[in-house]
Amino acid sequence: MESVFNLLAWSFVELLLVGTGRALVRLLTLGRWRGEQFAGDESRIYGPAGALSFRRDGQRVITKSGLFAAGLLFYLVTMTTLFGLL
């Protein structure tokens, strides 16, 4: 039962970080770049192995791993800033 809870909790955290990364990419690049779809496998087809982004049809596409990293970095910077203000 505990492993099921851990799996659900990790899935929620992963979706939160990828969703935050997607919003950041869209906001900071003003729509010129885009994030890979949740259910898509574009990175397997068009991107090199282990890439955080790739170019497709002239548009930069950030992979799920790249979105995860962007979301994680956002929360780390936010928490560091908040703790620094205390």
Side-chain angles (χ1 to χ4, degrees):
M1 185 66 175
E2 186 176 325
S3 63
V4 172
F5 176 73
N6 289 339
L7 177 67
L8 289 174
W10 177 249
S11 296
F12 175 75
V13 168
E14 186 174 9
L15 286 174
L16 176 71
L17 291 175
V18 169
T20 302
R22 182 184 310 279
L24 284 172
V25 165
R26 191 174 294 163
L27 179 71
L28 295 177
T29 64
L30 302 173
R32 289 177 293 176
W33 294 7
R34 68 177 177 87
E36 185 179 16
Q37 297 176 356
F38 283 115
D41 282 339
E42 282 182 302
S43 61
R44 294 177 119 192
I45 298 168
Y46 299 105
L52 298 178
S53 69
F54 60 92
R55 192 173 284 281
R56 179 174 181 212
D57 298 330
Q59 186 178 36
R60 177 67 59 185
V61 180
I62 309 299
T63 64
K64 287 179 234 173
S65 299
L67 294 173
F68 183 88
L72 183 63
L73 183 64
F74 170 76
Y75 285 114
L76 288 175
V77 168
T78 301
M79 295 306 286
T80 303
T81 304
L82 288 177
F83 285 132
L85 293 176
L86 295 179

